[in-house]
């Protein structure tokens, strides 16, 4: 008998019936026809079987689910967009609080505010906000959930102009471990708001987010330019030099990957190592060509696809490359510059990439993100100019372990003690979590955890342990 079935049997039909009757949403159990669809998540590396899935339609459902899990001693997994790389949005034998039906977005154009429910993905937010010429730093893939992205920090194409997503979080509604429904803002439960700005999903179920919005679009100057793979070192060095003088309106990244068989790339490069510089100029579109030009002439060009495009087109540009159902594992590291041993390690890792789906991303940071005071949010690392994200992926189980080992080896090659980004960490590791925050920030997060979740009910995350746990 499986753990899931055994746990459900111990709960009893009367108990489960009472839970179901108290919901506006849906209670899904292993015997239900929709169970396999409901339990699946974006990252197919995690195939788990929860005992119960509660698809919430509102805050009352969330409160009911939290209270039920606590009273029955069930492990809780909270699912927003479901993109969790370590698989935190599901669990074996526990209860999944699924917010996907809570995906409403409200825009206040006069105050430049965006209010998004906890089940929203960035496509939901961008579609509504762009109707008013507004945006906030969102995911690089539009199916990414607003919740996990924001709570861990939030690096996107507006990061240098507008800061991280969490820097723009001005309020939130949250259900805590004891079933309380709280609002947090600068004036109300401010220490909780501080913790939600980068401290991960440690403190409760956030049912809505309120963001400060920025005037962006509808047209931006964006896209990507491809260079030969054997020019990776030259492109990285040139990118570093050009990035030093980049204005805040320009957010860019390098992708060291394998050339896909797409019509805009010459057939002779298909399946071979290639380097892409991609990103977005969010200032006046007519100034975009000049602003991006230094990054579009770093080496002999294979294809240049930069140009004016709708903001929402850029926000969905990478979607086809990151479909649901692949196996994903990420490692990350912040670093100050693209010189010396760092550059050598990245180039070497590109030559050893295990398959055509795995790749390395180097994002340029700084700008507005770097000007936020270190103690203003829980986000731990602001004084580094770059972050490397090592993306290991396979379409099937075959080859996945080798890809993960490549990613881990690449992360280790950057040296010990490198700070990681909790959203780009593919496993639960207390040492990595501690290294992601300065010591004083971590201690402050523990104090907030002690207040709002002293028993660590919400531990399926990059976990900040309360003092009592």
């Amino acid at each position: 008998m499986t753990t899931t079935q055994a746990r459900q049997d111990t709960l009893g039909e009367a108990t489960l019936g009472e839970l179901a009757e108290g919901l506006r949403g849906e209670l899904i159990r292993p015997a239900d026809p929709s169970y396999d669809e409901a339990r699946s998540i974006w990252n197919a590396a995690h195939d788990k079987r929860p005992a119960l899935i509660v698809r919430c339609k509102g805050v009352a459902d969330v409160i009911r689910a939290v209270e039920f899990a606590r009273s029955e001693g069930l492990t809780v997994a909270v699912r927003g967009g479901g993109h969790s790389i370590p698989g935190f949005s599901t669990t074996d034998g526990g209860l999944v609080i699924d917010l996907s039906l809570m995906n409403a977005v409200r825009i206040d154009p006069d105050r430049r505010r965006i209010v998004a429910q906890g089940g929203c993905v960035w496509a939901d937010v961008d579609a509504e906000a762009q109707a008013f010429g507004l945006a906030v730093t969102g995911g690089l893939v539009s199916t990414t959930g607003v919740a996990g992205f924001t709570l861990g920090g939030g690096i996107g194409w507006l990061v240098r102009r507008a800061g991280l997503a969490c820097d723009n979080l001005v309020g939130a509604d949250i259900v805590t471990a004891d079933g309380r429904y709280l609002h947090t803002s600068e004036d109300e439960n401010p220490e909780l708001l501080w913790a939600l700005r980068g401290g991960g999903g440690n403190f409760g179920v956030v049912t809505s987010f309120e963001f400060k919005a920025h005037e962006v679009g509808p047209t931006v100057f964006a896209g990507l330019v491809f260079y030969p793979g054997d020019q990776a070192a030259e492109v990285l060095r040139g990118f570093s030099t050009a990035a030093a003088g980049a204005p805040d309106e320009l957010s860019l990244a390098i992708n060291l990957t394998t050339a896909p068989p797409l019509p805009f790339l010459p057939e002779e490069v298909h399946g071979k190592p290639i380097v892409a510089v991609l990103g977005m100029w969010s200032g006046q579109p007519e100034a975009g060509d000049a602003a991006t030009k230094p990054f579009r002439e770093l080496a002999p060009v294979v294809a240049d696809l930069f140009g004016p495009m709708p903001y929402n087109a850029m926000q969905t540009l990478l979607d086809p490359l990151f479909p649901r159902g692949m196996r994903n594992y990420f490692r990350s590291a912040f670093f100050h510059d693209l010189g010396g041993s760092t550059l050598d390690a990245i180039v070497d890792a590109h030559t050893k990439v295990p398959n055509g789906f795995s790749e390395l991303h180097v994002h340029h940071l700084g700008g507005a993100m770097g000007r936020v005071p270190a103690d203003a949010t829980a986000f731990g690392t602001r004084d580094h100019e770059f972050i490397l994200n090592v993306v290991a992926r396979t379409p099937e189980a075959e080859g996945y372990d080798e890809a993960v080992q490549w990613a881990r080896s690449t992360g280790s090659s950057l040296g010990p003690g490198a700070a990681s980004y909790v959203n780009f960490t593919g496993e639960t590791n207390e040492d990595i979590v501690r290294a992601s925050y300065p010591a004083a920030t971590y201690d402050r997060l523990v104090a907030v955890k002690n207040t709002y979740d002293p028993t660590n009910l919400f531990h399926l995350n990059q976990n900040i342990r309360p003092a009592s746990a």
Side-chain angles (χ1 to χ4, degrees):
M1 181 179 290
T2 66
T3 301
T4 301
Q5 187 61 50
R7 189 69 188 97
Q8 188 178 1
D9 288 346
T10 62
L11 290 173
E13 284 302 316
T15 303
L16 295 174
E18 183 180 355
L19 171 62
E21 289 175 5
L23 298 172
R24 283 202 306 124
E26 183 182 8
L27 176 64
I28 301 174
R29 312 184 213 181
D32 293 338
S34 60
Y35 177 74
D36 281 334
E37 179 274 328
R39 73 181 178 88
S40 70
I41 59 174
W42 176 82
N43 185 2
H46 306 283
D47 183 22
K48 297 186 178 181
R49 300 187 66 83
L52 302 169
I53 301 168
V54 177
R55 278 187 168 161
C56 302
K57 278 195 174 180
V59 172
D61 285 353
V62 176
I63 293 172
R64 183 78 178 98
V66 168
E67 290 176 338
F68 185 86
R70 189 182 67 249
S71 67
E72 298 296 334
L74 291 167
T75 295
V76 174
V78 182
R79 183 183 303 168
H83 268 227
S84 172
I85 300 301
F88 292 142
S89 51
T90 187
T91 180
D92 278 323
L95 186 150
V96 173
I97 299 176
D98 183 345
L99 305 179
S100 59
L101 299 180
M102 298 174 60
N103 61 353
V105 179
R106 179 169 56 83
I107 310 297
D108 185 336
D110 294 330
R111 295 175 59 241
R112 294 184 187 173
R113 292 290 187 266
I114 298 170
V115 177
Q117 286 188 304
C120 288
V121 299
W122 283 105
D124 300 322
V125 172
D126 292 336
E128 296 296 324
Q130 275 296 283
F132 302 92
L134 298 174
V136 68
T137 307
L140 301 176
V141 177
S142 74
T143 56
T144 302
V146 169
F149 180 86
T150 301
L151 295 175
I155 297 171
W157 296 129
L158 290 173
V159 65
R160 289 179 43 79
R161 175 179 168 183
L164 300 161
C166 71
D167 297 337
N168 294 279
L169 185 66
V170 296
D173 295 328
I174 183 171
V175 176
T176 57
D178 58 2
R180 286 182 295 162
Y181 178 60
L182 301 177
H183 181 72
T184 177
S185 67
E186 294 286 0
D187 300 319
E188 192 173 353
N189 302 304
E191 191 69 358
L192 179 56
L193 179 63
W194 172 86
L196 296 180
R197 291 169 166 167
N202 277 279
F203 311 102
V205 184
V206 181
T207 59
S208 72
F209 297 80
E210 182 178 357
F211 296 101
K212 174 177 61 178
H214 304 263
E215 291 186 357
V216 176
T219 301
V220 296
F221 194 91
L224 64 170
V225 56
F226 290 93
Y227 298 103
D230 60 7
Q231 298 292 305
E234 182 178 348
V235 172
L236 285 163
R237 280 191 288 267
F239 185 94
S240 180
T241 300
D248 290 359
E249 292 87 351
L250 188 59
S251 289
L252 292 158
I254 298 177
N255 185 0
L256 295 92
T257 187
T258 301
L262 296 174
F264 52 77
L265 292 175
E267 190 171 335
E268 59 266 25
V269 305
H270 291 179
K272 296 180 179 179
I274 201 165
V275 181
V277 173
L278 61 163
M280 183 175 75
W281 164 262
S282 60
Q284 293 298 319
E286 58 269 21
D289 182 68
T292 58
K293 199 166 189 62
F295 298 90
R296 292 158 47 215
E297 49 189 26
L298 300 174
V301 172
V302 175
D304 185 347
L305 304 176
F306 268 89
M309 67 173 67
Y311 173 78
N312 282 351
M314 184 57 187
Q315 286 294 94
T316 59
L317 187 69
L318 300 181
D319 285 8
L321 302 179
F322 289 88
R324 183 184 183 94
M326 292 191 69
R327 287 155 175 80
N328 294 265
Y329 176 89
F330 291 6
R331 285 295 293 269
S332 65
F334 291 93
F335 50 95
H336 290 288
D337 59 63
L338 278 171
S341 59
T342 298
L343 185 147
D344 292 341
I346 294 172
V347 173
D348 182 62
H350 189 212
T351 67
K352 298 175 180 176
V353 66
N355 56 57
F357 300 99
S358 299
E359 52 196 28
L360 302 106
H361 304 164
V362 178
H363 297 264
H364 182 216
L365 305 175
M369 171 188 168
R371 290 192 293 272
V372 175
D375 62 351
T377 74
F379 188 84
T381 306
R382 294 189 181 271
D383 59 346
H384 291 56
E385 282 292 307
F386 301 96
I387 183 172
L388 171 68
N389 184 25
V390 187
V391 179
R393 296 191 297 157
T394 61
E396 304 293 341
E398 183 180 357
Y400 180 67
D401 290 343
E402 292 79 3
V404 169
Q405 183 54 44
W406 166 78
R408 288 174 175 161
S409 175
T410 301
S412 299
S413 71
L414 295 170
S420 297
Y421 174 33
V422 294
N423 280 358
F424 288 171
T425 300
E427 60 197 62
T428 304
N429 185 307
E430 188 169 336
D431 291 337
I432 290 178
V433 175
R434 283 184 174 271
S436 299
Y437 300 98
T441 299
Y442 188 86
D443 290 345
R444 190 173 168 186
L445 286 168
V446 170
V448 178
K449 184 75 168 180
N450 290 341
T451 299
Y452 293 100
D453 187 15
T455 65
N456 210 16
L457 179 69
F458 301 111
H459 62 269
L460 286 183
N461 43 55
Q462 298 297 351
N463 195 234
I464 307 294
R465 289 182 178 273
S468 58

